[in-house]
Amino acid sequence: MSNFKIWMASNWRLFLAIGIFCLIYGTYSFLHPAGGSSRLFVQNSNESFVLISVAMAQTLPVLTGGLDLSVGSVMTMINALASNVVNGSPTEVFLGIILCLCSAALAGFINGCIIVYGRLQPIIVTLATGAVFMGIALFLRPTPGGEVDGDLSFAATFDLNEIFFTYGWPLPEWFENSLGLIPTPVVLIVIVVLVIWVPFKNSVTGRGCYAVGSAEGAAYMSGLNVDRSRLAAYTLAGLFAGIGGLYLALQTGSGNADIPQAGAYTLNSIAAVVIGGTSLYGGIGGVVGSIFGAMSLRAISFNFRVFDADGPLGFISDPLLQPLFEGSILLIAVSAGAARVFSIKNRLNLFGS
Amino acid sequence: MVEQVAHKRADDSDLILQLEGISKRYGGVKALSQVDFSCKKGSIHAILGENGAGKSTLIKIISGVVQPTEGTLKVAGQVQQFASPTQASEYGVVCIFQELSLIPDLSVADNICITDPPRNRFGLIDKAEQIRVATDLLARVNCADVNPRELVKNLPLSRRQMVEIAKALGRKPKLLILDEATSALSAADVEKVYEILRGLREEGLTMLYISHRMHEIEELADRLSVFRNGEHIETFDKGARSNDEIIEMMIGREYSSVFPPKPTHDDKLLTVLEVENLSWDGRLNNVSLTLGEGEIIGLGGLDGQGQHEILLALFGVLRGYEGKIKLHGKEVAMGSPKQAKSDGSIALIPEDRKTEGLMLPMSIQDNISIATLDQLTKGLIIDKSAEAAKIAEMIEKMSIKIGNVDDAVATLSGGNQQKVVIAKWLMTGAKIVLLDDPTRGIDVGTKQELYQLFRDLADSGHSIILYSTDYDELIGCCDRVSIFYQGEIIRELTGDEINETNIVAASLNMEISGQQAGTMP
């Protein structure tokens, strides 16, 4: 096979996720009166950022063949923490952000330690630690509220021009109507991918995550540090979820230890990972796919808004039915990940890994 | 013994590997006892032995997968204690395990370089360099046609084996251990591997070669060591012992006495099972066979030629097979093990009794009755007294050595565990018993009991299909033997034709040379 074919064959899942996203978001943009405008992009990317972060977080444990049910809780805990510490003088804000990110990574690291050294199933461990993290979130933020630095909020949740306006920096004219219109959250995601994910994927530890998910025995026999890869996967999951929590605090200007919301984010993160082409059996996929998976999920709910409520399919836009539709979509997405079962010819292979 | 030791001391510098008094126990089972063994630099050293002789434990110890219970291990004269395969490879001891160490979802280059990939100045994996390294190593094993960017899971098995060797060479071994490295390969590929291995010997590499194919060993090895029941029996140069002597060393007994005498089936047997042109997924090709009442037929050939699959097909495990399965002359569509059990009175004694045959933590009694519970109920409730009576009867009949029926089945020895699996199925009233390598990892004494049991079952009207990787078993137990090669039955042997020469020749698909040998005086 030619190199191009091989490249296609190993990336088709990603391309499919991008295709799905383009289709769904394209429909939305077409139906929306302000479709294609910068204002709408900013709004949509703002609404997608947290789910994208949580989906990125979920990707790593799934790649290793595990699952992290605490990503929503870590996100919420960091959200609550941020509403307490990300305010005051610029130095305090900076230290607050560092504290949030470190706490997030620590939460993931704790998950990893229990899973790796306790030899326990990831699902059980993260279900339990998720409850603990929610408890901490409630302790930090018993009622919705708190305070988050307003300037930073503005700067992070609009377009790039807004950063210059907020801090009163001179804005080059060529920039204002071109690059300046790019939503800041999009840039933040790209930075996170380039600074954290790409180097990680190309590190020995990162490759170990793929190897562990694909064939753990073989990875061990090949002399890989299996434990370190797993630990790194859960730690990074914590960090990514924390970035989401921090962003949510900036977006809402407050913190909220919302238990149902945490659960919904965890569930959506799994669906996003599957739509994004990461195999729930581990070993195949990546964070970039999950980003498109998360955006696709969000774009589906955007579409509900632009449905004509009086049209024949108007009932779809009924807010009361939305949880039902979203739940069904999640179920379909997760089931699609199990489609390989139909091609198995030896029934014994249906069991076990 | 004293002489041997003195001899060893004399040319210590010549030895790459020395084991002194190595023993390994797993729980109460002794896998290796007091093994003294050494290996000369620049040679191909073959290790021979039956299943359960301790070969795999030996290589696991040498390559750091498990640690010996006692004894010392020296590499190039230095005492070493390897805690992991990684540590062993740092000292130049690299093992190629049977298709266990490649990661299917990574590319060939990723796999070859997995242990220590080339890094760029940021400490990240340098993909271009990795491709270059992989290309070089693939060329060294005559596999320049494999694209290093290809995912391993897309390669055929024979190519994967070559990638595995390339990967091992990338770790710059001094001692390369090959564990059944050719078991999955076709004859042409095997020849290629030999060429590579001989080339490596020229380069001064030492190789430990584990195989149970005599023919390979004759072709490759310089020295041979025979293991039996966890003990090192003897090490000698190639040619120093005849094949008969070697086989006797491996078996340690005359095999005629081990097996019960075979009856002569004069009359035409009532056919209970017929298979016509069965094909499945490219791994079974037009397999046809018949099984008579009271008959034991054997499935032979190299490992993985479709013997396992035909048993699974008969037991309803395989989806979408082509061809016909007839029971007592009537065609049935075998759709599930449940159906095979109820319609066909078929029982499958699986290859891996620990995962497919038994629920290890559950009691002996629960394991025996699990397949028959629907016959032991009063209404919805299990009839405990009927169950207990039936179980006691089976234990008696099979002479299973147990402490208490409530003990976990995991506490039994391998042989008794196997008897529990068989008892479980006989209780269902099964008439056709499919045995998938039933004596693997079982000690000789229990084996003998099992052989007697198989024959008793056949005499009492059961019909048995026995797949065995052990040629002697096929010779000793079976009325007829079908030899599989690449999913086909290439030869059927009956009566006196069932001997080692014929089985080996047919297994390796050496029909032509076999025929020539037959026709020439």
Side-chain angles (χ1 to χ4, degrees):
Chain A
M1 268 209 284
S2 71
N3 293 345
F4 175 72
K5 268 191 185 161
I6 291 172
W7 182 72
M8 278 304 285
S10 44
N11 287 298
W12 66 268
R13 292 154 187 270
L14 174 62
F15 300 141
L16 184 66
I18 295 174
I20 291 173
F21 168 70
C22 290
L23 186 71
I24 300 173
Y25 193 72
T27 313
Y28 166 71
S29 300
F30 178 73
L31 291 174
H32 197 286
S37 72
S38 167
R39 187 182 59 78
L40 192 65
F41 281 139
V42 169
Q43 187 198 333
N44 292 157
S45 47
N46 253 325
E47 287 169 320
S48 306
F49 189 99
V50 182
L51 182 59
I52 290 175
S53 308
V54 176
M56 287 166 80
Q58 188 67 264
T59 311
L60 285 134
V62 170
L63 275 181
T64 65
L67 201 64
D68 188 342
L69 295 185
S70 71
V71 287
S73 309
V74 173
M75 189 276 287
T76 307
M77 178 175 77
I78 300 306
N79 172 240
L81 178 64
S83 69
N84 285 305
V85 298
V86 183
N87 49 40
S89 71
T91 319
E92 285 171 326
V93 168
F94 178 74
L95 290 177
I97 291 173
I98 300 293
L99 177 66
C100 284
L101 296 181
C102 289
S103 311
L106 178 67
F109 182 73
I110 292 170
N111 275 335
C113 283
I114 303 175
I115 290 162
V116 168
Y117 299 112
R119 309 253 164 233
L120 295 169
Q121 285 108 319
I123 292 188
I124 306 297
V125 171
T126 53
L127 187 63
T129 55
V132 173
F133 297 145
M134 272 322 293
I136 297 172
L138 274 169
F139 174 76
L140 291 170
R141 179 61 52 212
T143 51
E147 193 200 334
V148 179
D149 187 74
D151 282 352
L152 188 61
S153 257
F154 274 108
T157 56
F158 283 90
D159 54 23
L160 290 180
N161 287 333
E162 192 64 33
I163 301 178
F164 291 86
F165 297 146
T166 309
Y167 294 103
W169 298 335
L171 181 66
E173 210 170 307
W174 63 268
F175 187 84
E176 185 171 357
N177 282 312
S178 53
L179 294 178
L181 296 174
I182 299 174
T184 308
V186 172
V187 176
L188 289 176
I189 290 288
V190 172
I191 291 173
V192 170
V193 168
L194 292 181
V195 172
I196 304 178
W197 169 248
V198 172
F200 181 72
K201 191 185 178 200
N202 290 304
S203 69
V204 177
T205 306
R207 172 162 307 161
C209 292
Y210 282 86
V212 169
S214 181
E216 191 181 0
Y220 174 72
M221 286 299 193
S222 301
L224 288 180
N225 193 332
V226 173
D227 291 351
R228 189 178 62 194
S229 289
R230 272 234 172 79
L231 264 181
Y234 285 92
T235 307
L236 274 185
L239 179 63
F240 284 144
I243 290 172
L246 188 58
Y247 191 85
L248 186 62
L250 292 173
Q251 198 188 343
T252 59
S254 64
N256 180 7
D258 184 338
I259 295 176
Q261 178 185 269
Y265 268 108
T266 301
L267 186 56
N268 276 289
S269 74
I270 300 170
V273 164
V274 173
I275 296 173
T278 298
S279 162
L280 282 181
Y281 301 95
I284 306 171
V287 152
V288 180
S290 302
I291 292 173
F292 284 96
M295 294 198 297
S296 302
L297 273 183
R298 270 291 179 261
I300 290 170
S301 42
F302 295 160
N303 269 305
F304 291 139
R305 297 178 196 157
V306 290
F307 253 78
D308 180 8
D310 300 323
L313 290 170
F315 70 94
I316 291 178
S317 61
D318 184 343
L320 284 178
L321 287 176
Q322 287 210 18
L324 176 64
F325 289 128
E326 285 182 13
S328 309
I329 289 163
L330 297 190
L331 187 60
I332 292 166
V334 176
S335 311
R340 66 158 202 132
V341 165
F342 297 111
S343 61
I344 287 181
K345 287 185 154 184
N346 183 338
R347 290 188 176 86
L348 278 177
N349 293 344
L350 292 175
F351 311 115
S353 60
Chain B
M1 194 62 197
V2 178
E3 272 173 24
Q4 247 184 348
V5 172
H7 172 74
K8 236 191 296 181
R9 292 234 172 88
D11 42 1
D12 257 8
S13 61
D14 205 24
L15 300 176
I16 181 96
L17 175 78
Q18 289 160 274
L19 304 186
E20 286 162 15
I22 293 270
S23 297
K24 175 70 188 173
R25 263 179 238 103
Y26 292 104
V29 183
K30 223 171 194 190
L32 279 183
S33 64
Q34 293 297 326
V35 168
D36 294 312
F37 173 79
S38 60
C39 193
K40 275 190 201 164
K41 264 178 207 163
S43 64
I44 298 183
H45 194 130
I47 297 182
L48 294 164
E50 289 187 300
N51 293 321
K55 292 175 299 192
S56 55
T57 309
L58 181 80
I59 56 167
K60 279 182 185 163
I61 287 174
I62 298 171
S63 56
V65 178
V66 298
Q67 285 69 48
T69 318
E70 56 189 44
T72 54
L73 181 150
K74 288 187 195 169
V75 175
Q78 302 285 312
V79 176
Q80 304 289 357
Q81 277 177 315
F82 297 140
S84 67
T86 323
Q87 215 186 343
S89 81
E90 279 164 22
Y91 288 92
V93 178
V94 175
C95 183
I96 299 175
F97 294 97
Q98 266 174 298
E99 56 176 305
L100 192 69
S101 81
L102 290 183
I103 290 148
D105 293 319
L106 293 183
S107 74
V108 170
D110 285 345
N111 266 288
I112 288 178
C113 297
I114 192 139
T115 317
D116 190 20
R119 326 274 166 99
N120 60 20
R121 60 205 152 98
F122 305 112
L124 300 178
I125 295 167
D126 183 342
K127 290 202 173 143
E129 177 64 18
Q130 193 178 256
I131 296 279
R132 208 157 37 240
V133 170
T135 310
D136 285 353
L137 286 167
L138 286 169
R140 224 175 131 195
V141 296
N142 296 336
C143 274
D145 57 318
V146 173
N147 189 329
R149 291 170 187 85
E150 183 74 78
L151 296 187
V152 162
K153 66 177 168 192
N154 297 333
L155 294 180
L157 210 53
S158 62
R159 284 283 175 263
R160 283 189 219 180
Q161 195 73 60
M162 302 300 203
V163 172
E164 187 92 62
I165 296 175
K167 174 184 165 187
L169 291 179
R171 291 151 91 172
K172 305 193 175 57
K174 287 186 217 133
L175 175 66
L176 182 64
I177 305 170
L178 298 114
D179 182 10
E180 301 275 1
T182 56
S183 61
L185 302 186
S186 67
D189 289 324
V190 168
E191 199 45 59
K192 257 182 132 176
V193 174
Y194 291 167
E195 246 171 71
I196 295 162
L197 297 184
R198 287 198 200 99
L200 294 172
R201 176 172 57 189
E202 299 295 304
E203 293 171 29
L205 184 67
T206 315
M207 279 161 281
L208 260 186
Y209 194 88
I210 286 90
S211 174
H212 54 220
R213 298 189 212 172
M214 276 306 292
H215 147 88
E216 286 191 0
I217 283 153
E218 276 170 10
E219 192 136 345
L220 272 178
D222 307 311
R223 271 170 84 72
L224 295 88
S225 291
V226 177
F227 279 73
R228 183 176 77 225
N229 289 336
E231 284 173 50
H232 176 208
I233 303 300
E234 202 182 323
T235 294
F236 45 89
D237 288 331
K238 181 169 78 173
R241 294 279 184 278
S242 73
N243 276 2
D244 287 352
E245 282 174 307
I246 294 173
I247 288 168
E248 208 165 298
M249 270 187 246
M250 285 167 62
I251 300 166
R253 71 201 123 88
E254 292 287 313
Y255 36 84
S256 57
S257 63
V258 177
F259 298 99
K262 295 182 199 176
T264 45
H265 297 295
D266 294 333
D267 310 323
K268 191 138 173 50
L269 294 165
L270 186 68
T271 304
V272 291
L273 176 74
E274 259 176 288
V275 176
E276 281 177 24
N277 298 323
L278 193 86
S279 299
W280 178 75
D281 198 29
R283 282 189 277 170
L284 289 175
N285 300 316
N286 286 318
V287 173
S288 298
L289 51 82
T290 58
L291 178 66
E293 189 172 14
E295 196 177 27
I296 303 180
I297 68 169
L299 309 181
L302 301 175
D303 278 358
Q305 304 295 318
Q307 302 97 326
H308 182 60
E309 283 77 13
I310 186 78
L311 296 183
L312 292 179
L314 291 174
F315 200 54
V317 176
L318 302 186
R319 266 207 273 231
Y321 65 82
E322 290 157 35
K324 289 178 186 166
I325 297 176
K326 289 182 183 173
L327 288 165
H328 301 285
K330 243 174 57 189
E331 189 181 339
V332 284
M334 226 22 118
S336 68
K338 192 167 178 284
Q339 188 198 353
K341 173 180 142 188
S342 56
D343 297 3
S345 306
I346 297 178
L348 172 69
I349 314 299
E351 178 183 23
D352 189 350
R353 62 177 172 272
K354 293 202 162 119
T355 58
E356 289 164 25
L358 294 169
M359 292 151 288
L360 287 175
M362 288 175 71
S363 72
I364 296 163
Q365 123 177 303
D366 289 345
N367 269 287
I368 292 182
S369 60
I370 194 85
T372 336
L373 286 178
D374 49 351
Q375 298 166 23
L376 291 170
T377 48
K378 268 185 186 162
L380 289 172
I381 313 294
I382 296 167
D383 182 346
K384 287 270 164 91
S385 61
E387 187 192 4
K390 200 83 202 252
I391 288 166
E393 182 194 322
M394 288 315 297
I395 290 173
E396 164 83 37
K397 187 169 158 194
M398 308 271 305
S399 56
I400 307 175
K401 294 184 201 84
I402 59 161
N404 191 312
V405 286
D406 291 322
D407 290 344
V409 87
T411 59
L412 297 179
S413 71
N416 280 305
Q417 285 184 2
Q418 191 63 280
K419 285 186 178 178
V420 168
V421 183
I422 298 173
K424 167 174 107 179
W425 282 106
L426 291 184
M427 234 168 101
T428 64
K431 284 293 179 195
I432 299 171
V433 182
L434 314 176
L435 297 161
D436 193 349
D437 214 0
T439 59
R440 182 175 286 192
I442 286 174
D443 63 275
V444 182
T446 315
K447 270 186 189 176
Q448 205 165 343
E449 280 182 51
L450 285 174
Y451 301 145
Q452 186 62 50
L453 177 74
F454 299 158
R455 184 50 71 189
D456 291 347
L457 286 173
D459 290 344
S460 64
H462 294 82
S463 307
I464 293 176
I465 300 183
L466 169 68
Y467 165 44
S468 176
T469 46
D470 183 347
Y471 295 158
D472 302 336
E473 250 166 43
L474 296 174
I475 299 165
C477 285
C478 300
D479 301 317
R480 282 185 294 136
V481 175
S482 299
I483 304 294
F484 278 70
Y485 188 80
Q486 296 185 348
E488 282 175 62
I489 294 183
I490 53 160
R491 200 142 172 225
E492 199 186 282
L493 306 169
T494 50
D496 293 340
E497 283 174 354
I498 309 177
N499 58 43
E500 179 145 18
T501 322
N502 281 338
I503 293 180
V504 171
S507 298
L508 297 168
N509 197 17
M510 300 196 306
E511 278 172 299
I512 296 148
S513 64
Q515 274 163 12
Q516 279 171 346
T519 49
M520 280 190 299

